[in-house]
Amino acid sequence: MSISQLTSQLSNKRKKCVEARNKISGYAKTAADESSKAAKAAKAATRARQESARQRKMSEQQRHQKLANAALNNQASWQKKLSALESDVAKIEKKLDDAHIAESKKIAKETSRKIGAIEPVINVNAPLVDGDNYGNVAVGNNVTQSQTIIESSNEFEGLKDLLRDIVDRLDDLELTDIDKCDLRESVEEALNELQSEEPEPGRVHMAIRLIKRILTPIGSAAITGAATGTGTLVQQWITQLGQFC
């Protein structure tokens, strides 16, 4: 091959090398541009995912907040209902207390009336006499009549022991707090009167009647067969108290 041919061939090859370098440079630039765009796209995708997650979290937060608000509203509503119920309970308890007080006063009044209605038998111009279970009875004109029931000391002691037994077992009885309080007061009143130098039978009998009234519901359960562990014992108490009143 001649020199001119070789020179021409070399020139052509060099042109192709320049073209190839230009192509390589162009592709390199394109690759760089696309890589940059890809990186930006990746950041955008990350931000989008973060935003989506944030939105999901916000949505979840809003849902829970909505539930919390609903719960608070329900709580306020039920609190209002509870206040109304507690007010009703307080009113009913007051009415019940008033009813217990009224009933106790009624029984006390009736007992006093019955005791006051007892008239002694007076035999005018008769001598001074002693009656069974009664003290001296003065008879005659212009004489003030008085009557005192006299129990034997043994009967007093038996009644005292019975009343003490009731107090000792008070916490075992199925009674309301009000009834327990009334029962304790009545027992203590009877005991105090029995321990005085000159016990007044009327006051003792009144206290015993109140005690029997409070114990009767429990004792009645023993009779009907619905008694609890203390029902039978209470019925025995009522029977024993009946011997004194």
Side-chain angles (χ1 to χ4, degrees), residues 160-170 233 237:
K160 290 177 186 178
D161 291 341
L162 176 58
L163 294 173
R164 293 189 187 102
D165 189 26
I166 293 174
V167 171
D168 291 341
R169 297 173 179 265
L170 186 60
L233 176 62
W237 288 344

Side-chain angles (χ1 to χ4, degrees), residues 14-114:
R14 285 177 176 170
K15 286 180 181 180
K16 289 183 179 180
C17 285
V18 170
E19 291 175 358
R21 290 191 185 97
N22 289 336
K23 290 285 186 182
I24 291 171
S25 177
Y27 284 128
K29 185 176 182 305
T30 299
D33 291 343
E34 294 301 327
S35 295
S36 176
K37 291 178 181 179
K40 291 179 180 179
K43 290 182 180 179
T46 300
R47 286 196 298 271
R49 285 193 296 271
Q50 292 175 345
E51 180 66 18
S52 177
R54 187 178 70 83
Q55 290 178 349
R56 286 197 300 271
K57 289 182 179 179
M58 288 182 63
S59 177
E60 187 72 7
Q61 178 185 5
Q62 290 173 352
R63 185 176 71 85
H64 286 298
Q65 187 61 50
K66 186 177 180 180
L67 292 174
N69 291 338
L72 289 173
N73 290 334
N74 289 333
Q75 179 185 9
S77 176
W78 278 105
Q79 186 63 46
K80 186 176 180 180
K81 291 179 181 179
L82 177 61
S83 298
L85 289 172
E86 288 177 340
S87 177
D88 291 342
V89 168
K91 291 178 181 178
I92 293 173
E93 287 179 341
K94 186 178 184 304
K95 290 181 180 179
L96 184 60
D97 289 344
D98 292 342
H100 278 295
I101 292 173
E103 184 180 2
S104 297
K105 289 181 178 179
K106 181 180 178 181
I107 292 174
K109 184 177 180 180
E110 182 67 15
T111 302
S112 297
R113 184 187 67 79
K114 290 180 179 180

Side-chain angles (χ1 to χ4, degrees), residues 20 27 72 103 120 124 161 168 172 179 189 192 220-221 223 226 231-232:
Y27 284 128
L72 289 173
E103 184 180 2
V124 180
D161 291 341
D168 291 341
D172 297 332
D179 283 343
E189 181 179 352
N192 290 337
S220 298
I223 297 175
T232 303

Side-chain angles (χ1 to χ4, degrees), residues 153-238:
S153 59
N154 290 335
E155 289 177 335
F156 274 158
E157 290 304 320
L159 180 56
K160 290 177 186 178
D161 291 341
L162 176 58
L163 294 173
R164 293 189 187 102
D165 189 26
I166 293 174
V167 171
D168 291 341
R169 297 173 179 265
L170 186 60
D171 292 335
D172 297 332
L173 303 180
E174 294 183 0
L175 294 171
T176 64
D177 292 340
I178 295 175
D179 283 343
K180 284 185 179 180
C181 182
D182 290 344
L183 180 58
R184 184 183 298 276
E185 290 179 356
S186 299
V187 172
E188 290 177 351
E189 181 179 352
L191 283 172
N192 290 337
E193 189 62 33
L194 290 171
Q195 291 169 357
S196 64
E197 292 183 0
E198 296 182 359
E200 295 184 15
R203 298 187 64 178
V204 175
H205 288 181
M206 185 184 302
I208 292 176
R209 287 190 177 93
L210 290 175
I211 294 169
K212 288 168 62 178
R213 178 188 63 79
I214 296 171
L215 293 176
T216 295
I218 302 177
S220 298
I223 297 175
T224 59
T228 60
T230 57
T232 303
L233 176 62
V234 170
Q235 182 57 35
Q236 293 176 359
W237 288 344
I238 294 174

Side-chain angles (χ1 to χ4, degrees), residues 130-163:
D130 291 330
D132 296 332
N133 296 327
Y134 289 89
N136 291 337
V137 181
V139 294
N141 296 326
N142 301 321
V143 176
T144 301
Q145 174 65 37
S146 65
Q147 175 178 293
T148 304
I149 298 174
I150 302 175
E151 304 285 355
S152 68
S153 59
N154 290 335
E155 289 177 335
F156 274 158
E157 290 304 320
L159 180 56
K160 290 177 186 178
D161 291 341
L162 176 58
L163 294 173

